Amino acid sequence: MQFPQPVFDANTSGGKDLGKLPEWDLSDLYPATDSPELARDMAWLEKECADFAASYEGKLATLDADGLLEAVQRYEQIDVIAGRIMSFAGLRYYQCTTDSDRAKFMSDCQDKMTTATTPLVFYGLEFNRLDDDHLADLLGANTDLARYKPVFDRMRAMKPHQLSDELEKFLHDQSTVGAAAWNRLFDETMAALEFNVDGEVLSLEATLNLLTEQDRATREAATHALTAVFRENIKIFARVHNTLAKEKEIEDRWRKMPTPQTGRHLANHVEAEVVEALRNAVVAAYPRLSHRYYALKAKWLGLDRMQVWDRNAPLPMESTKIVNWDEATATVMDAYAGFDPKMAEIAKPFFSEGWIDAAVKPGKAPGAFAHPTVTPVHPYVMLNYLGKPRDVMTLAHELGHGVHQVLAAEQGELLSSTPLTLAETASVFGEMLTFQKLLDGAKTKEERKILLAGKVEDMINTVVRQIAFYDFECKLHAARAEGELTPDDINALWMSVQAESLGPVFDFADGYETFWAYIPHFVHSPFYVYAYAFGDGLVNALYAVYAEGDPDFREKYFDMLRAGGSKHHKELLAPFGLDASDPKFWDKGLSMIEGFIDELEALED
């Protein structure tokens, strides 16, 4: 059973320049950790899992269509309650990962959940043993059951890779002391790190934020502070990566997965050749995109050579003005409403009902996420809002996820979950709407240049950087299969993708080789990162269709979001005349980034 991925949280009020920042109200999940509602649901879950096994284990093949539908719907309700409990525990924990009470509560919930759901392990295994023709007959006999076919297809894609019932139960039982435990060690270690920048002690998020400061000396000092702390802890992070990669290799070998990436492709319901076409298109475009852009940026910064702390530097003419929360909210909501008032209406409760947690605080996990929780409740968005223009784009991005999750919830728990490759669609589209709104309002050539440069940098970070990350992961898992990796081994793999992706204008300061250590996706979700590039390329192609004036675009777009995980990417994109399995599809998306760089070069004249 898959529990919703926990999201990371923040704090209630910002600095004096940011205004009052919103915080989560988790009472829509449960009022408190000792609430009767939570105790009731936990007791129900334990009983229902046992009853479910008693009703169906060894009997799935004997059920008629109505009987199988009842089994699926009972399983779906178990999924809802289990997801609700773990969402509550996870969200509380990520609000302050250094709080031992929160950590204990989440760990205890996870243990109880694992024990309670062990009787369900038979379900997927037995379902996959159903004869294909028999299942087809059942689906043909009941339209309500046939609705779940996409869920069944994804389950049965794992059929060649499933183990014996006994082994599957063993893996289920030991999961809390396997990857989940190493994930938690990583999160707690990262949240507790402190970085001394010119005498000021900062969290990871606040230190990374300094890399976007106007002052070059500040950016350099932040880089050295990051390097010093990563080096001190590099053995821990190397141990986490070695263990998780080896655990994955063992399980993949037992499951007869042909490559380390296969499990992710199956989960994403995307073909390996589509991902390979995306990867190859982006790598081939490095010289036309990142290499060309960073050469331009070096000129703007007055530098012959760029250092790693210059990569995300603002342009010299860029304003250092902080964007307060109210202004950020208005900017994003206006952009959403400009596309369609319905989109702004869906987004509104995020701001008014305690669905966003925005500020930075000690112990809080870094990053920004949108967590769907469960379909009867609503998503929660987490930000680390510091008032930079990029933070406004992050709000637009995460809010896009939230809107998508609200719409997809109409499908019900089992069909709402969107594969990662399509999960980035609404978020990147929301960013693009916000960017175009700001670009249309640019009053001067300089303002337009700053906006274009910011967007190109975001796209390079989303496409080029993430594909470089994907290549790093591919190399890491291949190398780990040959034996234990030292920190220096992992550092070398990291550096092998950096110069290729960023280009010849960069020098790499001593210590940058450790910067793989803080990226959570490598730990939590191996090979997740290509989904960002997939989403960006897909949205660029989608936005081109929108810009061309398709009169039915909005209706088709909302239908796509509502579909959740009920349709394959081919079926979802067909109404727009797009096909992600066509290698030329990715070139369309990349040409939009290239066009922005062309315009930036033209603005130099």
Side-chain angles (χ1 to χ4, degrees):
M1 170 164 288
Q2 294 294 312
F3 305 123
Q5 187 73 20
V7 183
F8 302 167
D9 162 23
N11 169 29
T12 89
S13 62
K16 59 182 184 301
D17 297 320
L18 298 180
K20 181 161 175 59
L21 297 176
E23 69 173 335
W24 281 337
D25 174 4
L26 298 180
S27 63
D28 288 345
L29 291 165
Y30 293 103
T33 55
D34 58 355
S35 68
E37 294 90 340
L38 178 58
R40 175 203 67 205
D41 280 359
M42 191 66 87
W44 178 89
L45 190 73
E46 290 173 12
K47 182 176 186 306
E48 178 60 11
C49 290
D51 289 351
F52 184 90
S55 299
Y56 298 115
E57 190 165 10
K59 304 168 191 168
L60 282 188
T62 67
L63 299 176
D64 62 13
D66 290 345
L68 186 58
L69 174 63
E70 183 186 348
V72 171
Q73 289 174 336
R74 280 181 66 180
Y75 185 90
E76 184 168 38
Q77 186 55 28
I78 290 171
D79 222 20
V80 168
I81 299 302
R84 188 174 197 135
I85 292 168
M86 289 314 302
S87 294
F88 179 65
L91 291 171
R92 279 188 79 255
Y93 168 68
Y94 282 106
Q95 282 182 298
C96 189
T97 61
T98 52
D99 181 330
S100 56
D101 289 339
R102 291 176 187 235
K104 173 179 164 49
F105 178 74
M106 188 180 78
S107 182
D108 288 349
C109 283
Q110 184 68 67
D111 287 345
K112 288 177 184 173
M113 201 64 54
T114 302
T115 302
T117 57
T118 295
L120 303 181
V121 172
F122 83 90
Y123 173 73
L125 303 173
E126 205 170 304
F127 193 98
N128 280 350
R129 288 197 285 267
L130 293 178
D131 178 76
D132 288 343
D133 291 339
H134 172 62
L135 180 59
D137 289 343
L138 294 179
L139 297 179
N142 190 310
T143 53
D144 289 335
L145 182 65
R147 246 192 95 244
Y148 290 95
K149 184 176 185 300
V151 178
F152 303 153
D153 288 345
R154 284 197 283 275
M155 286 170 65
R156 289 169 83 80
M158 284 297 295
K159 186 175 180 177
H161 308 293
Q162 69 186 36
L163 305 173
S164 69
D165 292 15
E166 190 174 34
L167 269 176
E168 292 288 359
K169 284 179 179 175
F170 168 76
L171 287 174
H172 177 88
D173 280 353
Q174 68 88 47
S175 62
T176 56
V177 292
W182 289 96
N183 277 220
R184 185 172 152 192
L185 173 65
F186 173 83
D187 290 338
E188 291 177 1
T189 303
M190 197 57 71
L193 295 183
E194 294 182 334
F195 303 84
N196 190 320
V197 185
D198 293 333
E200 188 178 3
V201 177
L202 301 171
S203 67
L204 174 64
E205 197 70 28
T207 309
L208 290 170
N209 183 58
L210 294 179
L211 299 180
T212 62
E213 283 293 314
Q214 192 72 259
D215 181 60
R216 193 176 193 224
T218 300
R219 299 196 305 270
E220 181 177 355
T223 303
H224 293 320
L226 290 164
T227 295
V229 176
F230 292 159
R231 277 179 163 165
E232 283 170 19
N233 293 275
I234 202 69
K235 287 184 178 178
I236 294 176
F237 296 128
R239 172 59 44 226
V240 169
H241 281 69
N242 267 291
T243 305
L244 287 172
K246 184 61 180 177
E247 183 189 56
K248 186 177 191 312
E249 185 272 325
I250 293 167
E251 188 168 331
D252 283 351
R253 179 160 31 92
W254 277 78
R255 292 191 182 283
K256 296 183 170 55
M257 295 281 186
T259 72
Q261 300 83 3
T262 300
R264 176 63 60 202
H265 300 336
L266 286 170
N268 284 344
H269 207 42
V270 67
E271 300 74 19
E273 54 271 23
V274 172
V275 178
E276 189 66 13
L278 162 65
R279 182 262 171 203
N280 292 342
V282 173
V283 172
Y286 284 170
R288 306 196 310 273
L289 303 180
S290 47
H291 297 190
R292 188 159 65 112
Y293 173 75
Y294 287 128
L296 263 180
K297 184 166 186 177
K299 191 163 71 168
W300 296 333
L301 294 173
L303 300 171
D304 292 326
R305 307 285 304 158
M306 293 258 280
Q307 253 302 342
V308 288
W309 52 78
D310 300 315
R311 188 173 62 82
N312 285 324
L315 303 190
M317 72 291 280
E318 202 167 318
S319 167
T320 56
K321 174 181 174 287
I322 293 295
V323 183
N324 69 36
W325 179 253
D326 288 346
E327 188 182 343
T329 301
T331 299
V332 175
M333 288 293 278
D334 286 351
Y336 276 34
F339 172 71
D340 193 306
K342 182 166 45 177
M343 186 181 274
E345 203 54 39
I346 296 167
K348 191 176 175 183
F350 282 86
F351 297 93
S352 59
E353 303 298 323
W355 300 5
I356 299 179
D357 204 321
V360 180
K361 71 175 180 182
K364 175 208 148 183
F369 303 88
H371 182 35
T373 72
V374 287
T375 52
V377 188
H378 56 75
Y380 284 91
V381 162
M382 196 290 296
L383 304 170
N384 277 284
Y385 191 80
L386 290 160
K388 294 285 180 74
R390 274 195 176 91
D391 293 333
V392 180
M393 288 299 177
T394 301
L395 171 59
H397 181 101
E398 300 305 336
L399 200 60
H401 277 308
V403 167
H404 193 172
Q405 290 160 359
V406 168
L407 287 167
E410 298 171 17
Q411 294 290 339
E413 196 66 24
L414 295 181
L415 283 161
S416 65
S417 181
T418 310
L420 291 178
T421 41
L422 294 166
E424 294 299 324
T425 306
S427 53
V428 180
F429 196 81
E431 276 190 80
M432 184 65 85
L433 290 173
T434 305
F435 165 70
Q436 291 290 352
K437 177 86 175 170
L438 292 170
L439 194 64
D440 291 345
K443 296 179 180 64
T444 64
K445 179 177 166 180
E446 192 172 84
E447 204 178 325
R448 187 173 181 86
K449 180 177 175 179
I450 290 165
L451 285 166
L452 280 168
K455 184 60 178 169
V456 168
E457 291 204 12
D458 286 344
M459 291 169 121
I460 286 172
N461 283 333
T462 304
V463 177
V464 170
R465 291 282 285 166
Q466 302 304 325
I467 290 300
F469 287 175
Y470 177 67
D471 278 355
F472 164 72
E473 283 193 274
C474 291
K475 291 182 175 191
L476 175 77
H477 285 262
R480 182 63 182 91
E482 301 300 316
E484 175 91 7
L485 300 174
T486 67
D488 286 345
D489 291 335
I490 304 177
N491 292 348
L493 295 175
W494 173 255
M495 293 308 296
S496 73
V497 303
Q498 295 303 308
E500 180 192 20
S501 61
L502 296 178
V505 78
F506 274 96
D507 291 327
F508 297 95
D510 185 38
Y512 181 68
E513 69 275 5
T514 63
F515 273 47
W516 54 270
Y518 79 91
I519 297 167
H521 297 93
F522 301 156
V523 174
H524 289 289
S525 309
F527 306 108
Y528 178 107
V529 289
Y530 73 73
Y532 289 113
F534 195 112
D536 197 274
L538 189 155
V539 166
N540 291 344
L542 259 186
Y543 198 86
V545 175
Y546 170 54
E548 285 160 12
D550 179 348
D552 301 320
F553 182 89
R554 288 167 183 79
E555 188 180 336
K556 289 190 282 193
Y557 180 73
F558 282 117
D559 284 346
M560 179 174 69
L561 300 190
R562 279 193 194 92
S566 67
K567 293 180 180 177
H568 187 266
H569 61 78
K570 259 188 181 306
E571 200 179 346
L572 286 171
L573 292 174
F576 302 96
L578 300 171
D579 181 2
S581 63
D582 178 356
K584 294 187 183 121
F585 171 84
W586 301 112
D587 291 327
K588 282 182 195 169
L590 295 171
S591 68
M592 178 176 278
I593 309 175
E594 207 171 345
F596 288 155
I597 301 174
D598 290 343
E599 186 175 345
L600 282 167
E601 283 183 335
L603 288 170
E604 291 293 282
D605 302 332

